[in-house]
Amino acid sequence: RTIEGMDIAHLGGGETVASVVQFLDGLPFKPGYRRYKINGVAGIDDFRSLHEVVSRRYRKLSDDDEVFPDLLLIDGGKGQLNAALAAFRDQNIDPPAILSLAKQEEEIFLPGESESLKLSKHSFALRLLQYVRDEAHRFAQHYHHQLRRKSQLGE
């Protein structure tokens, strides 16, 4: 019923941010959207950035006894999926169902599976996952552009 999507955005490692978007019954649920400035990572390191945001997001949910989403979708491939899984492991938190979706070939990566899963491009499930991933990407890029504009123009 609930899907959260995560993505990282930066330009050459500057103003690195992350987004969390939430979908409820297949539709965007804007009150569940969150954005994060990445604090503990210098330069370009999407894996460490993803580790940081997953740790921050799910530590807070866990500490506040809030319900995890039914599915966590990570924008990226096997490396991004493993970074997110490492964050859960390092926090001693049991993750929700989790997968990553890589843009190039629209490959789905699942924990513990060596081979990716490829769904039909007409599949409703793939289109829903793409919608979540693309919305997470859009939201992260928008926040990144806001911060970059602010830092460059002094707004």
Side-chain angles (χ1 to χ4, degrees):
R1 179 152 195 239
T2 306
I3 301 173
E4 283 191 354
M6 283 191 175
D7 192 21
I8 304 296
H10 60 80
L11 180 63
E15 303 287 355
T16 303
V17 299
S19 69
V20 174
V21 297
Q22 199 172 73
F23 278 57
L24 192 57
D25 294 330
L27 297 171
F29 181 68
K30 303 277 177 134
Y33 282 30
R34 300 288 180 269
R35 56 192 194 182
Y36 297 85
K37 285 183 185 178
I38 301 302
N39 303 318
V41 179
I44 302 171
D45 191 340
D46 286 358
F47 301 135
R48 289 289 317 149
S49 298
L50 196 54
H51 186 284
E52 178 182 321
V53 74
V54 168
S55 297
R56 287 168 58 189
R57 169 77 175 150
Y58 287 93
R59 169 55 47 209
K60 180 170 179 14
L61 288 179
S62 180
D63 289 349
D64 293 346
D65 285 325
E66 291 192 34
V67 178
F68 284 9
D70 298 308
L71 177 67
L72 172 59
L73 171 67
I74 304 296
D75 183 2
K78 190 175 282 208
Q80 284 84 353
L81 176 63
N82 287 331
L85 289 168
F88 283 108
R89 187 177 57 249
D90 294 348
Q91 296 287 320
N92 290 318
I93 296 174
D94 291 328
I98 184 172
L99 59 84
S100 65
L101 180 60
K103 190 149 188 121
Q104 198 78 347
E105 301 291 324
E106 301 298 5
E107 293 176 279
I108 297 169
F109 293 93
L110 300 166
E113 297 291 327
S114 57
E115 296 295 317
S116 65
L117 178 65
K118 292 182 184 167
L119 300 177
S120 163
K121 67 180 180 179
H122 303 293
S123 157
F124 175 77
L126 178 60
R127 288 189 318 203
L128 176 59
L129 294 176
Q130 289 170 323
Y131 186 22
V132 175
R133 189 237 0 241
D134 293 347
E135 180 66 359
H137 181 76
R138 182 201 66 76
F139 193 58
Q141 288 294 324
H142 179 71
Y143 185 43
H144 169 72
H145 290 300
Q146 282 181 321
L147 292 181
R148 204 170 79 214
R149 190 176 323 108
K150 193 179 210 178
S151 71
Q152 289 177 344
L153 301 177
E155 289 180 8

